[in-house]
Amino acid sequence: MTRETRELQPVDGKTFGFYCCGPTVYGPAHIGNFRTFVLNDVLRRVLEVSGMRTKHVRNITDVDDKTIRDSQAAGMSLPAFTDKWTERFHADCESLNCLKPHVEPSAVEHIPEQVAMIETLIEKGHAYPSGDGSVYFKISSYDEYGRLARLDQQDLDLGRTQNQRANADEYEKDSVCDFVLWKGRRPEDGDNFWESPWGEGRPGWHLECSAMSYKYLGETFDLHSGGEDLKFPHHENEIAQSRCACQGQFALNWFHPAFLIVDGAKMSKSLGNLYTIDDLAEEGVSAMEVRYLLASAHYRRQLNFTFDSLHAAREALGKLARAEGELAQAAGQESAPIYKELCKLDDLGVFAPALVALNDDLNTAEGLGQLFKALRIATTEGDPVVNWKGFHAILAALGLILPELEAPEAPPEVIVLAEKRQGARASKDWAAADAARDELKELGWVVKDSQDGYELETI
Ligand code: AMP
Ligand code: ZN
């Protein structure tokens, strides 16, 4: 709201409560949506790895203009349609290694809470029925309307005096006006309507986040987020609803990642540059490579997505995987520490500066820079076990899962020796078998007996 960076501390002294506007489930989410969701996940992880407890609430928008329109086009009931796309969203989030929110409420499951909020707004003089079964929020009743998006005074004055109303869920800045809280039932809504004191209808899109954040986080909570396009009208309207209906301050901080664009252009179906996680998987790109790329640029900057940058992400992940092998070996460790343990570390060894960078306005670009810088000294300076855990803490903060390294292929002379050993064993010539094993060792290979014969591994 103030355009300052603020130190984040839970307002209740215990748990950092934050609300992210979730997906509208009417199709597969695209990589732009996932830039916002992955950065929210990184924010949460950085707080947790830094020792803070969090409560993460992210809603599912399962009723609005688009879900109704597209469920009808698909010939499906609204719940069947939105369930299908919610499942797909969850599967994509899992492949991107996003932590599940602690609460994931849906708009349809919270109709009574939304109706109750409208009743309060009407009682307090902030909302009015329009006569056709709809109810609108009166923006002239709230002096601070427009502060978050820094709307032009001219647009605001016009919006306040013109008596115009927006019934659609989305509209542009130059049509600042009273917005809909309850939409009276229309024929095109089909079976999708609920009872209310104003007749049959359905809630307007902006209301669900006010009602659900109030229910799960209270009237004052730590942070609210969404992509930068949500500042206006969505978040502006949420603030108006919540501040006027409740006593509290609503969100104390705002987090708005900038947009992802593709090859310098806005993503859109018509340009053919709109990618989903599945589209990229078909091109041989792993979800983790996508995550690395989405997380690597600072959230305030627009991210230009290109296939070249995906290649760079693949290389970086390979480098990190090789480094992990070296660090684990130096520390004499095999399986990585669990996430909970990493959230309690008080010493990250040479990787401490990377967490400091992530804590500075979530500077992921600098955090990665510090991570690679620390790798140069991680096997020679400090305690190997502390460094190995510190490395894993940074991976956990970024939510990165490293690829399995492909085993190097054994050169011909190694295979010859291994075959020689097999032959010796078959004829029970144990001395010759041992000699071949020793020779292999000198070449840097170990041979392990397996069900199908043997396997060769580098030492
Ligand atoms: P939606 O499902 O349309 O409600 O969007 C889900 C989230 O994705 C919202 O927080 C949007 O602001 C965000 N979003 C949409 N397009 C992009 C984009 N190109 N880059 C980053 N975030 C986006
Ligand atoms: Zn919202």
Side-chain angles (χ1 to χ4, degrees), residues 20-26 29-37 40 61 66 170 205 225-230 235 257-261 266-267:
C20 308
C21 290
T24 308
V25 281
Y26 69 112
H30 54 62
I31 52 171
N33 302 133
F34 282 118
R35 176 176 205 212
T36 293
F37 294 127
N40 272 298
T61 297
K66 292 184 284 196
E170 288 171 83
W205 169 49
S225 68
E228 60 180 347
D229 61 320
L230 296 192
H235 288 165
F259 254 35
L260 174 144
I261 54 171
K266 198 178 164 206
M267 241 190 328

Side-chain angles (χ1 to χ4, degrees), residues 374-385:
L375 280 176
R376 288 191 229 134
I377 53 167
T379 47
T380 51
E381 280 180 29
D383 180 318
V385 176

Side-chain angles (χ1 to χ4, degrees), residues 27-29 34 83-93 276-279:
F34 282 118
D83 279 357
K84 171 181 146 180
W85 291 115
T86 304
E87 261 176 44
R88 168 73 179 275
F89 176 69
H90 287 157
D92 284 346
C93 285
T276 65
I277 300 298
D278 275 11
D279 293 337

Side-chain angles (χ1 to χ4, degrees), residues 41 156 215 274:
D41 187 60
L156 274 171
K215 178 164 178 180
L274 189 150

Side-chain angles (χ1 to χ4, degrees), residues 19 21 209 224 234-235 238:
Y19 187 97
C21 290
C209 295
H224 195 316
H234 186 54
H235 288 165
E238 280 190 41

Side-chain angles (χ1 to χ4, degrees), residues 339-351:
Y339 183 69
K340 268 201 178 148
E341 190 192 331
L342 295 170
C343 293
K344 285 192 202 136
L345 291 185
D346 43 28
D347 186 1
L348 273 65
V350 297
F351 294 98

